[in-house]
Amino acid sequence: GLSSSATEYSFATADGRVFWANGFDNLKAWEGTLQSAMPQLVANGSFSVDTAGWSNTAPGTPVGTASIARATAEFQSAPASLLVSAGTTDTRRAVLTGYTLVPGKTYNYSYWIRGATVATNTFPVIYGTAPTELTKNIVGTTWTQITGSFKAKAGDTSFAVVSTSAGGTVSNFYLDNVSLVEQAVEDIT
């Protein structure tokens, strides 16, 4: 039997998965891969050579005349970043990259962003069967790191960063060091 005075339990299954629980958190599962060893899903998140793998359109989202370009004069880490820009009358700018997700798995995202000339209202969006907007952030003209996580749904295929005038100011923006990695430890719900 299990001790009623224990503060944590862990056990392994025949398939090599480790489970553990305590009295404060959800039951967790780990398949043995360290978080630092999880593969990077964004193939070109630092824009070191070009803008390959990125698009200025997002499914079902009007982006007007938005364009993307590699910017070597402005970056969070050398040698470049991605500039997402549009005409002054456009109310939305987006940049998108595709990937393959496993429904039910949790993914961690991170990117650095800054408004080109003024603060901007930005947010990450997961595109698939239905777009999922994540936390909105007002970012200024200095580099700001945005991090978070989301649980993938069936049909999720793309990660986008969007700037919109809804609830804030829309601005051209720079993006750098974009990362998307599956979370190694999962909550079991």
Side-chain angles (χ1 to χ4, degrees), residues 8 28 30-31 55 61 66 78 93 95 118 139 142 160-161 171 180 184:
E8 183 173 304
K28 307 272 186 201
W30 180 49
E31 296 182 16
S55 170
T61 302
R93 292 147 175 78
V95 62
V118 296
V139 295
T142 59
V161 177
S171 170
L180 184 64

Side-chain angles (χ1 to χ4, degrees), residues 54-56 68 82 84 93-97 159-162 173 175:
W54 292 87
S55 170
N56 64 331
I68 59 173
L82 184 72
V84 181
R93 292 147 175 78
V95 62
L96 173 92
T97 187
F159 179 80
V161 177
V162 177
F173 63 91
L175 189 65

